[in-house]
Amino acid sequence: MSVARYDLNKCIGCKSCVTVCPMDVFRFDNAANKSVIAYPENCQSCGQCYVNCLGRALTIVNDMYGYALTSYRAATTVPMNRKAQAVIDRT
Amino acid sequence: MAKSISRRDFIKGMAGIGAASAVTALAGIPVAHAESETELVERVTTELPIPEAEAPAKTEYECDVLVIGGGFAGLNAAAAAADQGQSVVMIDKGHPGYSGLSPWPSSHRWADKEMGDDYDALRKCIQHGSEYLGNMDLYEVWLEESKATYERLRDWGILDQYETAKESGFYNDSGDPADCSGDYQGYHEKFYQHDRRTKFAAVLRDKGIEYADYTMVTNVIVENNKVCGAVGFHVPSGAIITCHAKAVVMAMGGGCYKPTGFPTGGVTFDGEYIAYNLGLPIAGKEFDDFHMTLSWAPGNAFLNNNWTYLDPLWLCGGDITADTAISYATTKGKVMVLDRVTKSMTGLAVTDGTGVEDMSQQDVTRRGGSASENPGEVRTGKCNDTMYKGDIYGAAVGFGAHLTNGVFCGLDDLEGKTSIEGLWVSGDGMQACGPTGAAYPTGVGFTSNYVSTMGNRAGKAAAEYAAGAELTKIPAERIEEETEKIQAPLSVEKGFDPTWARDQLHSIMSPYWVYIAKSKATLEATLTQIEYMRDRVIPKLQAASYHDVRMCLEMQHKILNAELSLRASLAREETRGLHFRTDFPYRDDENFLCYITLTKNAEGGMDIEKVPVKDEWKGDLTEDYKSRYTYYFPKELETLGLPAEEATGGWGGK
Ligand SMILES: Cc1cc2nc3c(=O)[nH]c(=O)nc-3n(C[C@H](O)[C@H](O)[C@H](O)COP(=O)(O)OP(=O)(O)OC[C@H]3O[C@@H](n4cnc5c(N)ncnc54)[C@H](O)[C@@H]3O)c2cc1C
Ligand code: SF4
Ligand code: SF4
């Protein structure tokens, strides 16, 4: 779960996100000519919508995705988590 | 690009507001929407209400060959069938090229005699690496046909070579993970014309192949053991879609319970479920892929395994020689099998995943390329941009080992032909018992080519069959029956949320004692929980939308997959490749040089059978254990009374 809206104003209605998402996360509002992030709980954080968004209206956030259930966690988990977001943020 | 350093500093200097436009301006890319500071401050981050989706204009199709799934296998099958002059329809749950596993490979391998590849060395390597369960006849097919496959994909534009992200300067590459950011959108905009995923639908259009996207096939309809097409629904609108066909190729991929770091979520064992319920034998289920993810960003596929999404597909091959065949298989086995076992059981064995590796600094053969220096050799191997390495298990729990699990078509099959007239299976998770056997490490970079090769064969065979076959239309009552099944979760008044069920299943299956370090006790305990979910939860899954319907149906498939893999794991009382039993921690050649098949019986139960592999695939059985197997699982040598070795395994640590 990690797609997020960067800015709905920037959505130009190109529908790329609706086409490329393999997880059925998006719907499209024809009247408003905007995409709708309808089912983010099924997002696999693959980033295809994000890189294909012509309006740059989407982003990937690091605080929503489902955790992999694993045996051990790195000691550095907390600071690294912040680093993880830095990898994606262009700011 | 020399600019990268100054650009990075510039971005850092801009810190925050306005940085996005600064990047685009510097890279010289047209900005879709000029943004002012005020616009950024007033960003709108809320969503509009979920609108109704329209049904597609066309909901009923008729054709000679129906291909289900638009990944590498399906694309090649559809193209081959159309090239034979047959009418072809493709149905995909997502959009061709963007769903399943096919958007993600970073490398593409083929065998090339003209470049001097040593085929005997290749055979030796795969046989050793697959731990003698690799189908050597299918490997022979690959040796013969993989170059033609490469040329076909190249001509379609799927293997276009262009500036890598590293060369382009769009990605930072300081080596500090906190600084490995990049202007992904900028890089994509610049090289969009080379984006291989766009080529999948383009090939279909060029060849006059109709496709229905966002359509989930829920069943393949068979009457009197002869295929007559498939039924499904358009997921956004719920419209029922039917396709009457003389022949069907199922190229629907594998699946996982929940993609948490390995982006395989577009596939959910739909094909396996359909095939199993048609009475076809399923094999290879005891070998789990166990992909790794990052402990500090678990579940984030964009960071874990998609790092190279925008780069060209790197061309590989020619790196395995007579001298290196066994050491290649051993090293890969240690890194990809043993390392995962040890990390999963004992924690973070070697690194914390931040050991950002720059493959471009390594020699060509270490990268998987050819050092032949022949003129015209284009296989330079993976030239990774700086990239993280997963340090913990759990990226795609339940994902079966590549090319090993799926429908078992018999020891002599070379095209994915099933025992149902007019039905073929093809690709990852669909056609079982491929050349990679118990462990695919020696086949790295090989799957995208292999499934394309096999897709081409299945498509050709299906077209040849269709040319002489009569169309039997799907009977109306079968369409009604399927429609009822599809709509059933919408009328469940009180029940379980499929998202909860998915997470629950994931929790049951992801502890390391289920797939990594198995024992009779842990497998049986897990099976009890799965049976409980199968009988008590699945019938009560509730849908509030057609999106939910998709999730409910996918859960049925996932539960079946869990049961199949647990029962197959219980049946294989030995350790081999990607199957490690702590209570049988050694390879048992006498009893387990076989495939384990699971077939639905008349009472609805599972029949489990052992099918011995061909003698000529078994290797030299007189060879001593330590030359036959060259890396060892915990307690393996001790149990066999052989001299112990130093611990093996470990990324980077080799
Ligand atoms: C991160 C990652 C990295 C990889 N790296 C490499 C690499 O470097 N080199 C390499 O060679 N390979 C690599 N692979 C493996 C390779 O991508 C796969 O083996 C290959 O793409 C499988 O192709 P396929 O056509 O068999 O299946 P898929 O690509 O999974 O296609 C299955 C298709 O079926 C569709 N489908 C599923 N269910 C239904 C349904 N019910 N109705 C309609 N359609 C349905 C899906 O939407 C999908 O489009 C990688 C995979 C991943 C995920
Ligand atoms: S990140 Fe991937 S799964 Fe998530 S919404 Fe975007 S395309 Fe869909
Ligand atoms: S891809 Fe971007 S601009 Fe296009 S519809 Fe989706 S959100 Fe809007």
Side-chain angles (χ1 to χ4, degrees):
Chain A
M1 292 198 286
S2 73
V3 66
R5 187 62 70 177
Y6 181 72
D7 186 0
L8 192 61
N9 288 327
K10 297 183 78 181
C11 173
I12 57 170
C14 71
K15 290 194 189 172
S16 296
C17 55
V18 184
T19 304
V20 306
C21 175
M23 302 303 284
D24 195 41
V25 170
F26 291 93
R27 288 289 177 268
F28 195 77
D29 185 328
N30 284 314
N33 197 37
K34 301 275 184 199
S35 73
V36 180
I37 300 177
Y39 306 106
E41 70 286 352
N42 204 36
C43 171
Q44 64 170 349
S45 74
C46 67
Q48 291 202 100
C49 57
Y50 163 63
V51 294
N52 280 286
C53 174
L54 295 185
R56 300 193 174 199
L58 300 170
T59 188
I60 301 282
V61 293
N62 213 43
D63 54 2
M64 278 173 73
Y65 52 73
Y67 277 76
L69 304 185
T70 52
S71 48
Y72 282 70
R73 305 272 303 274
T76 47
T77 294
V78 174
M80 289 313 292
N81 227 328
R82 265 180 240 128
K83 286 185 179 186
Q85 190 57 49
V87 176
I88 291 157
D89 283 346
R90 280 176 292 109
T91 51
Chain B
M1 191 169 113
K3 261 186 200 163
S4 67
I5 291 181
S6 57
R7 201 178 96 252
R8 185 161 65 227
D9 292 346
F10 182 55
I11 298 163
K12 274 184 187 154
M14 294 294 289
I17 289 173
S21 54
V23 176
T24 40
L26 250 175
I29 286 172
V31 183
H33 263 225
E35 48 185 41
S36 67
E37 284 194 14
T38 32
E39 259 180 301
L40 269 182
V41 171
E42 289 165 15
R43 283 198 283 140
V44 173
T45 56
T46 50
E47 293 301 308
L48 297 168
I50 300 174
E52 292 278 312
E54 280 167 44
K58 187 165 177 179
T59 54
E60 190 172 358
Y61 296 83
E62 196 177 303
C63 62
D64 296 320
V65 179
L66 165 65
V67 177
I68 314 172
F72 277 102
L75 173 68
N76 283 275
D83 288 348
Q84 305 265 312
Q86 301 298 298
S87 66
V88 181
V89 169
M90 174 182 285
I91 300 183
D92 197 288
K93 186 155 75 162
H95 187 75
Y98 290 94
S99 187
L101 270 68
S102 292
W104 317 107
S106 58
S107 62
H108 188 81
R109 172 182 290 268
W110 71 94
D112 202 329
K113 229 174 208 150
E114 283 161 47
M115 290 294 149
D117 288 5
D118 180 343
Y119 282 24
D120 279 334
L122 286 163
R123 290 183 190 104
K124 197 163 137 194
C125 184
I126 198 99
Q127 196 173 30
H128 190 90
S130 71
E131 304 204 5
Y132 313 102
L133 292 190
N135 182 322
M136 297 304 289
D137 297 349
L138 284 169
Y139 194 64
E140 219 49 48
V141 167
W142 181 77
L143 288 174
E144 284 310 310
E145 297 180 10
S146 66
K147 188 172 186 187
T149 301
Y150 150 71
E151 288 167 346
R152 186 165 65 246
L153 297 179
R154 180 197 62 196
D155 295 346
W156 289 343
I158 287 173
L159 302 175
D160 277 5
Q161 298 296 300
Y162 51 95
E163 262 180 50
T164 65
K166 187 186 174 78
E167 289 159 354
S168 76
F170 280 97
Y171 288 12
N172 296 335
D173 59 357
S174 66
D176 172 4
D179 199 27
C180 275
S181 55
D183 177 11
Y184 309 99
Q185 292 165 313
Y187 181 52
H188 188 247
E189 280 162 19
K190 179 154 182 203
F191 295 101
Y192 181 70
Q193 75 275 19
H194 296 296
D195 186 337
R196 58 187 180 268
R197 293 121 200 132
T198 63
K199 313 288 170 73
F200 283 60
V203 170
L204 300 177
R205 283 192 294 268
D206 278 358
K207 294 187 182 287
I209 299 166
E210 266 189 293
Y211 62 84
D213 60 358
Y214 265 88
T215 298
M216 177 177 185
V217 167
T218 56
N219 211 351
V220 169
I221 309 299
V222 174
E223 291 282 306
N224 304 317
N225 203 45
K226 179 176 179 296
V227 86
C228 35
V231 179
F233 70 109
H234 176 246
V235 178
S237 68
I240 299 296
I241 308 288
T242 51
C243 182
H244 311 278
K246 292 179 188 170
V248 173
V249 180
M250 295 167 75
M252 300 155 81
C256 75
Y257 305 126
K258 183 178 180 182
T260 43
F262 197 56
T264 55
V267 285
T268 49
F269 317 107
D270 304 3
E272 174 181 280
Y273 179 89
I274 292 170
Y276 176 79
N277 284 298
L278 288 173
L280 297 172
I282 306 294
K285 296 313 295 181
E286 65 275 35
F287 301 107
D288 191 75
D289 164 277
F290 46 91
H291 244 87
M292 307 301 274
T293 185
L294 289 169
S295 56
W296 46 275
N300 188 336
F302 192 72
L303 277 185
N304 280 286
N305 285 296
N306 299 12
W307 193 243
T308 50
Y309 179 84
L310 297 169
D311 270 314
L313 256 168
W314 292 302
L315 309 179
C316 293
D319 52 335
I320 297 164
T321 63
D323 289 346
T324 60
I326 299 298
S327 65
Y328 188 101
T330 307
T331 314
K332 293 279 181 187
K334 279 184 188 171
V335 170
M336 294 196 71
V337 180
L338 206 60
D339 184 44
R340 290 169 195 205
V341 168
T342 50
K343 273 179 186 166
S344 307
M345 291 171 62
T346 60
L348 307 165
V350 179
T351 70
D352 65 356
T354 56
V356 174
E357 194 176 1
D358 185 353
M359 297 270 275
S360 63
Q361 301 304 316
Q362 286 153 356
D363 71 62
V364 166
T365 50
R366 164 75 174 84
R367 295 199 311 250
S370 169
S372 71
E373 291 179 12
N374 286 322
E377 176 60 275
V378 289
R379 296 171 301 168
T380 51
K382 286 201 181 209
C383 180
N384 288 7
D385 294 299
T386 46
M387 166 179 179
Y388 302 100
K389 293 291 176 203
D391 57 327
I392 48 165
Y393 164 68
V397 179
F399 190 81
H402 290 298
L403 315 180
T404 292
N405 74 115
V407 176
F408 178 60
C409 299
L411 293 177
D412 293 320
D413 167 73
L414 298 176
E415 60 187 33
K417 189 178 191 324
T418 71
S419 55
I420 294 170
E421 200 186 325
L423 183 63
W424 277 260
V425 288
S426 200
D428 219 349
M430 283 269 64
Q431 187 189 4
C433 308
T436 44
Y440 69 89
T442 48
V444 163
F446 148 111
T447 48
S448 59
N449 184 292
Y450 177 80
V451 299
S452 301
T453 301
M454 292 313 294
N456 180 60
R457 290 178 79 86
K460 250 189 211 156
E464 276 162 22
Y465 162 83
E470 293 286 317
L471 179 75
T472 313
K473 280 195 143 197
I474 307 170
E477 65 272 15
R478 294 297 310 273
I479 299 175
E480 265 166 49
E481 201 183 301
E482 284 308 312
T483 306
E484 273 169 34
K485 273 198 253 165
I486 290 166
Q487 292 170 346
L490 289 164
S491 48
V492 172
E493 281 180 9
K494 282 184 186 170
F496 297 104
D497 179 331
T499 308
W500 170 81
R502 174 199 63 187
D503 286 4
Q504 193 55 34
L505 172 63
H506 184 242
S507 307
I508 293 171
M509 298 301 287
S510 53
Y512 72 82
W513 50 86
V514 180
Y515 273 124
I516 305 282
K518 310 170 185 179
S519 69
K520 185 165 189 275
T522 60
L523 291 167
E524 282 179 349
T526 310
L527 186 57
T528 303
Q529 300 206 53
I530 293 305
E531 286 170 342
Y532 198 93
M533 279 195 82
R534 180 194 68 196
D535 299 338
R536 311 285 173 109
V537 174
I538 294 296
K540 286 194 214 148
L541 287 177
Q542 187 192 40
S545 64
Y546 276 101
H547 171 82
D548 279 1
V549 169
R550 169 176 157 166
M551 303 275 293
C552 292
L553 296 171
E554 289 179 349
M555 270 309 298
Q556 289 182 14
H557 310 165
K558 290 174 184 178
I559 287 285
L560 174 66
N561 180 77
E563 188 178 341
L564 289 165
S565 61
L566 291 168
R567 290 194 192 280
S569 297
L570 277 163
R572 186 174 286 280
E573 295 184 324
E574 66 149 0
T575 287
R576 188 175 297 273
L578 291 151
H579 169 77
F580 171 42
R581 284 280 301 254
T582 55
D583 45 357
F584 299 95
Y586 45 82
R587 282 82 163 194
D588 177 354
D589 287 345
E590 212 174 299
N591 295 302
F592 288 102
L593 286 175
C594 64
Y595 299 127
I596 289 170
T597 62
L598 304 109
T599 314
K600 188 175 177 176
N601 61 31
E603 292 77 49
M606 270 179 204
D607 286 340
I608 301 178
E609 266 175 76
K610 281 171 150 188
V611 181
V613 303
K614 290 188 182 176
D615 284 344
E616 56 272 31
W617 304 347
K618 292 179 180 167
D620 178 2
L621 289 165
T622 63
E623 205 176 5
D624 69 271
Y625 194 86
K626 286 183 87 172
S627 346
R628 204 167 143 75
Y629 299 105
T630 43
Y631 67 94
Y632 313 102
F633 289 82
K635 303 236 161 63
E636 177 167 7
L637 295 174
E638 208 176 308
T639 310
L640 293 171
L642 293 166
E645 307 223 324
E646 269 177 61
T648 48
W651 280 115
K654 292 188 190 86

